[in-house]
Amino acid sequence: MNVAMRLYNCWVFGLVCVSLSLVSCCGEEDGLGCNMYEGEWVWDDSYPLYDSAKCPHLRSEFDCSKYGRPDHFYLKYRWQPSKCNLPRFDGKEFLTKLRGKQIMFVGDSVSMNQWQSLICLLHSSVPQIQILDQLDETVYNYTFPEYKVSLFVFHSTHLVDIEVEKIGRVLKLDSIKNGGSIWKNMDILVFNTWLWWYRRGPKQPWDYIQIGDKIVKDMDRMEAFKIGLTTWGKWVDAEVDTDKTKVLFQGISPQHYNGVEWNEPGVRNCAKETRPINGSTYSAGLPKASYVVEDVLKNITKPVHLLNITTLSQLRKDAHPSSYNAFKGMDCTHWCVAGLTDTWNQLLSAQLTLEIEG
């Protein structure tokens, strides 16, 4: 099909691309102006994609329904790209296409959030298949034995190393030793980091920052983030065989603690938010960290796909647990499961299918 005809199909008819070949039909990589990360949230009575009560081992931080969230509006929204359609997630097809593969999410608790969503999506499609749960100090693993597909999550708050030395805990901005040898052996890697870079006080997981031979007590956090992420980018270029291993980086996951950002001055959290923002734009614009991510990714020579979930997630001020979790604390950082993170995994599935079939 020539470019003109493909553009006509995608733009005029809103063609649903067969076999999940979404981006190859009308995606941004084809230069046809169809970006699956641009769009709006629409009501869909066929959602959610699964019943969270039937998902095994769902962590209490994300199980909003179990912990009493009274409204269910947040479960009923589907992401609709502006000029193409995002295929409905098909767990059996996902497992079939990725048979024998190892997928690892590497990052902070937001990575755990997405990993749990993917487990729920797949379990709802193949509930009769045993799921093996393995745990060590930093890694969880779920395996779907019939398909030989393993889903790992590796906890790493900064991606670069934090090591305990005589002076205390040292954040080493130019070092990736803890985990790197494990990561590069995976078939698919989905990285994420940002949540811990700005932490101060008791929640700060390091005491000093080191760059080369220089050790400082603190520095500009955005600069530190860029240096650390650049180290990760150099690690990808030097260590990852991208002919074997697909690499993705998750965009910055937003928080909703300041109503000024969505034109509700005086609102201090997401507690009473039950509906997404209408339209496709977020009045506060992208967070500064997103621009750092874009700059770093531009300088990586090997193929790394940006799972660009930031803006579409900013629109979902309603999708956080708020106080509906086991701890009863106000959480406008993580996301309810079922919920928004299912869409992240739909987007992940579409991109992986493109790369596998392309």
Side-chain angles (χ1 to χ4, degrees):
M1 183 184 295
N2 62 36
V3 172
M5 183 60 70
R6 293 169 74 191
L7 180 58
Y8 180 80
N9 283 340
C10 294
W11 216 89
V12 178
F13 292 110
L15 178 67
V16 179
C17 309
V18 296
S19 300
L20 295 188
S21 298
L22 169 70
V23 186
S24 62
C25 172
C26 49
E28 58 184 324
E29 284 81 356
D30 277 335
L32 299 182
C34 185
N35 183 339
M36 62 183 176
Y37 300 110
E38 293 179 353
E40 62 182 340
W41 292 97
V42 298
W43 184 271
D44 190 328
D45 279 320
S46 71
Y47 274 53
L49 297 171
Y50 57 88
D51 180 358
S52 60
K54 297 179 181 178
C55 182
H57 309 294
L58 182 55
R59 289 172 66 102
S60 55
E61 298 98 311
F62 315 133
D63 198 346
C64 305
S65 179
K66 178 179 178 179
Y67 289 96
R69 179 159 177 166
D71 75 287
H72 297 98
F73 300 133
Y74 73 99
L75 294 169
K76 293 294 185 180
Y77 285 91
R78 172 176 57 81
W79 179 245
Q80 178 59 58
S82 299
K83 297 175 184 177
C84 49
N85 290 291
L86 182 62
R88 193 176 181 90
F89 189 89
D90 186 325
K92 289 184 179 180
E93 186 169 7
F94 182 93
L95 290 167
T96 299
K97 287 180 179 294
L98 296 176
R99 183 180 295 275
K101 302 295 186 183
Q102 294 183 315
I103 305 167
M104 178 174 276
F105 294 88
V106 184
D108 51 41
S109 54
V110 176
S111 291
M112 172 69 76
N113 210 164
Q114 184 175 2
W115 176 76
Q116 291 247 274
S117 161
L118 185 55
I119 289 171
C120 292
L121 284 164
L122 295 174
H123 180 264
S124 66
S125 298
V126 287
Q128 74 281 9
I129 296 177
Q130 182 183 8
I131 302 174
L132 305 177
D133 183 9
Q134 300 175 350
L135 168 67
D136 65 18
E137 292 182 356
T138 57
V139 184
Y140 288 88
N141 173 29
Y142 268 69
T143 300
F144 293 78
E146 183 174 317
Y147 295 89
K148 298 181 181 179
V149 172
S150 293
L151 306 178
F152 295 86
V153 63
F154 187 108
H155 184 69
S156 176
T157 55
H158 293 72
L159 300 184
V160 292
D161 298 328
I162 298 177
E163 296 184 357
V164 178
E165 301 184 351
K166 290 182 180 180
I167 59 173
R169 301 164 299 172
V170 182
L171 173 62
K172 301 196 170 189
L173 295 184
D174 56 0
S175 174
I176 294 182
K177 294 183 294 185
N178 298 325
S181 60
I182 299 173
W183 305 345
K184 65 183 181 181
N185 291 320
M186 295 290 136
D187 297 292
I188 297 162
L189 290 167
V190 184
F191 289 96
N192 151 65
T193 183
W194 169 240
L195 184 59
W196 288 85
W197 285 90
Y198 54 83
R199 297 293 177 92
R200 300 179 185 274
K203 293 185 178 181
Q204 180 179 299
W206 49 265
D207 304 303
Y208 294 90
I209 296 176
Q210 181 173 352
I211 311 170
D213 295 329
K214 183 180 180 181
I215 297 177
V216 297
K217 187 66 177 174
D218 205 350
M219 65 183 293
D220 179 86
R221 299 303 179 84
M222 199 65 70
E223 181 183 355
F225 176 56
K226 185 169 186 177
I227 295 171
L229 201 59
T230 300
T231 296
W232 166 80
K234 291 178 178 178
W235 174 85
V236 170
D237 276 338
E239 298 291 336
V240 181
D241 178 2
T242 50
D243 289 332
K244 172 190 177 294
T245 302
K246 307 299 182 186
V247 181
L248 301 95
F249 191 90
Q250 182 202 91
I252 301 301
S253 178
Q255 303 177 49
H256 291 96
Y257 288 101
N258 185 358
V260 171
E261 294 184 352
W262 61 90
N263 297 319
E264 292 185 32
V267 173
R268 293 291 175 262
N269 55 50
C270 59
K272 297 180 179 180
E273 304 300 328
T274 60
R275 302 282 187 170
I277 295 169
N278 290 327
S280 58
T281 59
Y282 190 66
S283 59
L286 290 172
K288 292 181 179 179
S290 289
Y291 295 104
V292 172
V293 169
E294 290 178 6
D295 286 344
V296 171
L297 293 184
K298 287 176 183 176
N299 291 315
I300 299 176
T301 59
K302 290 185 177 177
V304 177
H305 178 78
L306 176 62
L307 194 66
N308 196 3
I309 52 84
T310 303
T311 299
L312 64 89
S313 302
Q314 286 178 317
L315 301 176
R316 293 305 305 273
K317 58 187 174 63
D318 61 310
H320 296 284
S322 64
S323 61
Y324 300 108
N325 56 70
F327 313 105
K328 304 303 180 185
M330 183 55 58
D331 184 355
C332 301
T333 298
H334 299 100
W335 308 93
C336 295
V337 176
L340 170 67
T341 48
D342 302 329
T343 297
W344 295 1
N345 284 315
Q346 284 181 274
L347 292 162
L348 172 64
S349 176
Q351 178 61 28
L352 291 178
T353 297
L354 168 66
E355 296 194 15
I356 290 169
E357 296 183 349

